[in-house]
Amino acid sequence: MAGDMRKVEEFFANIAAKLGGDAVNRTEETINRYGENTMPGGSRPPLGVVYPRSTDEVQIIVRAANEFDVALYPVSTGNNIGLGSRSPVHAGQVVVDLGRHMDRIIEVNDKLGYAVVEPGVSYQAMYDELVRQGNKYMIDVTSGPPQGGVMGNALDKGAGYAPYFDHFGMSCGMEVVLGNGEILRTGDGALATGNLLNWHTSKYSYGPIIDGLFAQSNYGIVTRMGMWLMPRPPAIRSFHFTYEDDDALEEITDICRMLKMSNYVPTLFRVANDLYTCGAEVVSEEFTQSGGQKSISDAGRKRLRQQFGLGSWTVSGAFYGPSMEAMEPQIQRVGDLFGRSGKARYISHEDAEYINPLKVAINAFSGVPSASELGLLRWRPGGGNTWFLPGTPTDGQVANEFQKVGRAIYEKHGMDYMVMNVCAARFMRGLHVITFNREDEDECRRADACYRELSEELVRRGVFVGRAPIDYQKFHMDQTTDSFRAACSGIKNVFDPKGIIAPGRYGIGE
C-alpha cells in the first residue's frame, strides 16, 4: 500500500509540474464535496481532483495515470443527481473534472443547425447562447438540473421530451482521449487529411460506427462532441389530460402508442403519477407520522391531487406550429381520443401555465431548462435519492401490470411510489424515483432493497434498465450474458490496456 501511495504522490506532483499547481486540488473539503452523492451506499471520496483545460492536458493526465498506475474518474459538470453526482464508482480514484475549465461552446453552425461543445457546457449555458444568437434553434433538455452537462447526459444515454429527445442519437462526431493516451476522432473526423467539413453532419461515415462504444462505458474520455439542434417553432402548445384511477395507465399508454406510431404528436408523452407531479411542490406530511416506515396512504395521495387539481395519472404532450390558433384542430383531435372513455379531464395549455407541476412539462417541450423537479429531493428529509430506470414496451396491459408490481414493492419497503413514464411509439422509459432519508441507516437499507427487488422482478419479466446509479452498475452488468461481459472487457483491453479510466463504471473493468 505504501508503494501505491508513493505512486499517487508522484502522479499529483507530475500533474502539478506540467499543468500548474491550480490543476490539482486535494483539500479535505474538495475530497468530501466530490465524494458525496445521494445514493444509499454512501459517499466515495476520491484521492483528489485534477482540472484539465484542453484535450492536450487530458492526454497529459491520462499518460501520467498510465505511468503511475492511478485510476481516473472523469466527470463533466457532476450534476448526475440520483445516479451518482460527481462521486466515483469506487473510493480512491482521481476525479478528472472536465467541466471546471473545458466549458466552451466551440461553434454554433447557424446554417446546418449544430453545435460543438466541450464537456462543461450545461443545458443552461447552451440555452442562453442560443437565445443570445437569436433563438433560432433549441436544444432538447432534461427535467434535471439546468447545470447538467449536455455532453455528459448524451454519453449516459439521457433523454428529453421534444422531437430531438434521443440525446446520444442527436450527437454527431466526437473527439476522445483513449485510455492509452491516443486521440480518436469518430465519423468523418477520422479523415487523415484533417479536413473536418463533415465531422458534425455525417453520422454514419466509412467503416464501423464506433461512437456508441463511448456511451455508458469507460474506454476513453470524450473532450468534444457535435450536437444537432432543432429549429425553434413559432408556437408551442401543450395539452394535458388527468385521470383519477391508477389502472387508467393502460388506456393512457395505448392512446400514446397510437399517436406516436403515426407521429401525429411530435413530442414524447410525459405520463406522471400523482406523487411525481405533486411531490416536487410539497413535502410528505405523513413521513413524520410513520417515521418513514410506511408508504403514503391513499387518503394522503387524494389530498395532494385535490390540492393541485390533478389525478392519479397526468399525461402531457405538445404540438409545434405557426401559431397557437393553427394547432387548435390537432388539440381537438387528441382531446377526442383521450376523452372517448369519459375518464380523462382536459387541462389546456393556458390553464397549465398556472399549475407548477404542468409548467415543468411545458418548459421541457419548449427546450427551456428548469430546476422545478429537483423539488422531488425534498419529499422526504435526509437528501437520499436514487433512480430506477427500466424501459418497457408501449403496451397498456404491460404498463399496468408493471405499475402494480412497482407499487407493491415500494409499499413493501416503506417507500413512496413516484414514477413518470416517458412514452415513444414502441418503448417507454419509467423514471422511478426512490426518495429516502439518507441519514437513517434503516431507511438506506430499505431503499437499497427496494431498488434491487424492482430490478430483479422486472428482469425476470424481460425488462432491463437504460441507465444505472453508481451503486448498481456492477449489479446490472452481472445480469447480462457472459458473452456480453466478455466483449465489454475485450474492448476495454484494447482502448485502455492498463485499465486506468474509471474502472468499475457500468461494471466494466472491475
Side-chain angles (χ1 to χ4, degrees):
M1 186 65 181
D4 292 340
M5 287 309 299
R6 184 163 56 250
K7 285 187 175 182
V8 168
E9 297 297 333
E10 291 173 347
F11 167 80
F12 282 116
N14 183 281
I15 297 303
K18 291 179 178 177
L19 305 186
D22 61 350
V24 174
N25 191 327
R26 300 181 68 193
T27 66
E28 182 179 359
E29 177 187 3
T30 296
I31 287 172
N32 289 337
R33 190 170 71 250
Y34 278 78
E36 66 187 9
N37 58 63
T38 63
M39 303 287 99
S43 298
R44 294 168 171 79
L47 292 173
V49 185
V50 293
Y51 305 106
R53 294 179 178 273
S54 65
T55 299
D56 289 345
E57 292 195 356
V58 173
Q59 284 185 282
I60 290 170
I61 292 167
V62 168
R63 286 167 177 158
N66 275 279
E67 180 180 353
F68 298 107
D69 297 318
V70 170
L72 305 176
Y73 190 81
V75 299
S76 55
T77 66
N79 279 272
N80 211 14
I81 298 173
L83 295 170
S85 304
R86 292 172 290 195
S87 179
V89 173
H90 297 300
Q93 298 177 343
V94 174
V95 171
V96 182
D97 187 341
L98 300 160
R100 172 66 67 90
H101 301 302
M102 297 177 67
D103 58 356
R104 294 182 304 151
I105 299 172
I106 297 168
E107 179 187 2
V108 174
N109 190 300
D110 187 68
K111 181 180 292 185
L112 297 172
Y114 68 81
V116 184
V117 300
E118 290 185 322
V121 175
S122 68
Y123 283 101
Q124 188 66 55
M126 193 72 245
Y127 172 78
D128 291 344
E129 178 61 17
L130 293 175
V131 170
R132 189 189 71 80
Q133 294 197 21
N135 218 18
K136 179 179 177 181
Y137 290 102
M138 58 183 270
I139 191 164
D140 185 271
V141 300
T142 72
S143 51
Q147 297 309 317
V150 172
M151 181 189 295
N153 183 267
L155 291 173
D156 203 34
K157 301 181 191 172
Y161 311 97
Y164 283 32
F165 69 91
D166 181 357
H167 295 170
F168 187 77
M170 292 299 158
S171 70
C172 184
M174 59 180 70
E175 178 180 75
V176 189
V177 177
L178 300 176
N180 58 15
E182 297 177 2
I183 290 179
L184 172 71
R185 292 192 177 100
T186 66
D188 276 14
L191 271 172
T193 62
N195 185 335
L196 306 182
L197 179 66
N198 250 354
W199 190 13
H200 303 300
T201 58
S202 174
K203 191 171 180 66
Y204 303 121
S205 193
Y206 181 81
I209 303 166
I210 62 175
D211 305 60
L213 294 176
F214 302 101
Q216 290 188 2
S217 73
N218 53 9
Y219 302 143
I221 300 176
V222 182
T223 57
R224 178 180 299 201
M225 177 184 281
M227 295 295 299
W228 290 343
L229 306 173
M230 175 179 158
R232 180 170 289 282
I236 300 171
R237 186 165 184 177
S238 67
F239 55 84
H240 313 264
F241 296 91
T242 190
Y243 288 72
E244 191 59 31
D245 296 332
D246 291 342
D247 287 348
L249 183 60
E250 180 170 350
E251 175 181 314
I252 294 169
T253 302
D254 287 339
I255 294 173
C256 290
R257 182 186 68 251
M258 179 175 61
L259 290 168
K260 284 306 299 175
M261 288 276 279
S262 64
N263 206 30
Y264 186 76
V265 175
T267 66
L268 297 188
F269 286 97
R270 291 166 51 102
V271 183
N273 82 336
D274 44 16
L275 296 193
Y276 193 100
T277 51
C278 305
E281 301 296 320
V282 294
V283 297
S284 172
E285 63 180 33
E286 296 187 14
F287 177 85
T288 303
Q289 298 168 18
S290 72
Q293 295 292 318
K294 294 182 179 179
S295 303
I296 186 173
S297 66
D298 288 342
R301 291 174 56 205
K302 187 173 183 178
R303 284 193 296 272
L304 275 178
R305 297 199 294 267
Q306 291 172 340
Q307 179 180 347
F308 291 95
L310 300 174
S312 179
W313 295 102
T314 301
V315 54
S316 301
F319 287 107
Y320 303 124
S323 68
M324 299 296 272
E325 294 74 21
M327 290 178 279
E328 183 58 35
Q330 295 165 290
I331 297 290
Q332 184 62 51
R333 171 60 177 154
V334 169
D336 290 343
L337 290 171
F338 280 104
R340 185 172 295 167
S341 69
K343 298 177 182 178
R345 178 170 57 85
Y346 172 57
I347 301 175
S348 70
H349 175 92
E350 291 75 16
D351 289 340
E353 289 272 14
Y354 297 96
I355 303 173
N356 282 344
L358 301 187
K359 177 66 175 175
V360 175
I362 295 172
N363 285 339
F365 298 138
S366 305
V368 179
S370 170
S372 298
E373 287 187 3
L374 294 180
L376 294 173
L377 294 168
R378 299 189 297 270
W379 173 251
R380 287 190 174 194
N385 184 270
T386 191
W387 290 68
F388 174 62
L389 302 169
T392 62
T394 311
D395 180 314
Q397 185 175 355
V398 172
N400 211 34
E401 176 192 354
F402 281 14
Q403 67 105 0
K404 290 178 180 179
V405 170
R407 285 184 193 277
I409 292 173
Y410 268 73
E411 186 172 350
K412 173 183 175 181
H413 297 286
M415 300 287 111
D416 296 319
Y417 184 65
M418 284 183 176
V419 64
M420 177 169 66
N421 295 294
V422 185
C423 301
R426 298 169 180 84
F427 174 86
M428 54 193 283
R429 178 174 287 178
L431 311 182
H432 293 73
V433 186
I434 303 176
T435 300
F436 59 97
N437 184 355
R438 195 167 178 265
E439 298 171 0
D440 184 294
E441 184 177 340
D442 177 66
E443 204 161 334
C444 286
R445 179 192 60 76
R446 287 187 285 113
D448 176 72
C450 181
Y451 185 102
R452 292 176 185 274
E453 186 170 350
L454 284 166
S455 176
E456 288 165 353
E457 187 63 30
L458 266 63
V459 163
R460 187 176 68 82
R461 297 163 186 257
V463 168
F464 208 13
V465 295
R467 302 172 72 186
I470 56 174
D471 277 15
Y472 307 104
Q473 291 180 356
K474 183 180 185 303
F475 167 72
H476 287 303
M477 181 59 80
D478 287 345
Q479 293 173 323
T480 66
T481 62
D482 291 343
S483 59
F484 181 79
R485 294 196 299 274
C488 291
S489 297
I491 296 168
K492 179 70 169 173
N493 291 336
V494 171
F495 285 150
D496 184 13
K498 295 193 72 173
I500 59 97
I501 296 181
R505 176 176 268 172
Y506 273 87
I508 303 169
E510 287 282 357

